[in-house]
Amino acid sequence: MDFKKLFSAVNLKKFLSINIGTLIVAVSIHYFLVPSNLAAGGASGFAILLTSVIDIPISIILFILNSILLILGFITMGMHFSAMTIYVNIIMSVFLRIMETISPMNIPITDDLFINLMFGILISSIGMSVVLNSGASTGGTDILAKIIEKYTKFSFGNGLIICDGLITLGACFIYGPKLGMYALLGVIMNSFMIDWFIEGFNSKYSI
């Protein structure tokens, strides 16, 4: 193993970016989405639904869910899944557990659901874009979407919409149509914002 290459400035920069991006996503989940019961798709959205049914911290539920999805991904998609995605899964749960311990959120920051949704999705999109731009992935329903793409005629985007759509449908049943529609709005906003931020990261200017 070439340790000099492994610990190069480029790899260390990517590693730092992945940690910062994951921390940003964890902040959005803990401080904005979870207290407002905004299950806006993804594994975190499904974890929010489960916390309403079983009394287990979301950090533990999210770790278990992502672990199951990663194992399923390895079985169906092969070994090409990045090891950094596994690392992101672990460090995400660690960040969330630390926040749950030192700064528990029993009530939303504001009473305005739309503000909580806007800030939650905006912050989450920034964090996910940083992680994706660094060559890693937050896992979650992305894995299910890839499996759907491989074994059906649906595209990756269609698969993601199906998975996240089912989660927002679950939010309608558990929290009522109002929160369910907010969750669906969050899924749509998240998709557009991530594309916009990724495009911004990859933009180059010349004179």
Side-chain angles (χ1 to χ4, degrees):
M1 183 180 291
D2 189 347
F3 286 98
K4 186 176 181 181
K5 184 177 180 180
L6 181 64
F7 293 100
S8 65
V10 173
N11 285 339
L12 289 175
K13 183 180 178 181
K14 283 186 177 181
F15 181 75
L16 180 62
S17 296
I18 287 169
N19 280 275
I20 292 173
T22 305
L23 177 60
I24 293 171
V25 175
V27 166
S28 74
I29 293 172
H30 179 71
Y31 288 103
F32 293 96
L33 301 181
V34 173
S36 300
N37 293 323
L38 291 168
S44 59
F46 190 51
I48 291 171
L49 295 181
L50 289 180
T51 55
S52 301
V53 181
I54 52 178
D55 188 21
I56 299 177
I58 193 168
S59 56
I60 297 175
I61 293 177
L62 196 57
F63 177 77
I64 294 171
L65 282 175
N66 276 327
S67 297
I68 293 172
L69 289 171
L70 283 166
I71 292 170
L72 186 62
F74 276 121
I75 293 172
T76 58
M77 303 294 291
M79 295 295 292
H80 71 280
F81 277 92
S82 172
M84 290 309 297
T85 301
I86 299 174
Y87 172 76
V88 169
N89 174 33
I90 295 171
I91 201 66
M92 174 80 77
S93 299
V94 170
F95 284 146
L96 284 170
R97 191 60 187 150
I98 292 172
M99 292 176 193
E100 289 168 350
T101 304
I102 65 175
S103 179
M105 293 293 295
N106 298 319
I107 58 173
I109 292 179
T110 74
D111 295 329
D112 192 320
L113 270 175
F114 187 71
I115 291 177
N116 290 329
L117 178 69
M118 282 293 294
F119 276 89
I121 295 299
L122 175 63
I123 295 170
S124 176
S125 300
I126 293 171
M128 290 179 68
S129 300
V130 171
V131 173
L132 291 168
N133 194 61
S134 301
S137 168
T138 54
T141 50
D142 291 358
I143 296 173
L144 289 178
K146 288 180 180 178
I147 294 172
I148 290 172
E149 181 185 29
K150 181 176 180 180
Y151 292 102
T152 70
K153 295 181 179 179
F154 291 106
S155 66
F156 174 79
N158 290 335
L160 199 57
I161 290 172
I162 291 170
C163 296
D164 289 343
L166 289 173
I167 292 170
T168 55
L169 184 63
C172 286
F173 282 109
I174 294 176
Y175 303 125
K178 181 180 179 180
L179 281 174
M181 286 187 285
Y182 269 108
L184 180 59
L185 179 61
V187 170
I188 297 169
M189 288 167 54
N190 189 55
S191 175
F192 281 106
M193 285 186 178
I194 288 176
D195 286 342
W196 188 72
F197 284 125
I198 290 288
E199 185 178 352
F201 283 134
N202 295 329
S203 295
K204 292 181 175 61
Y205 300 91
S206 61
I207 300 176

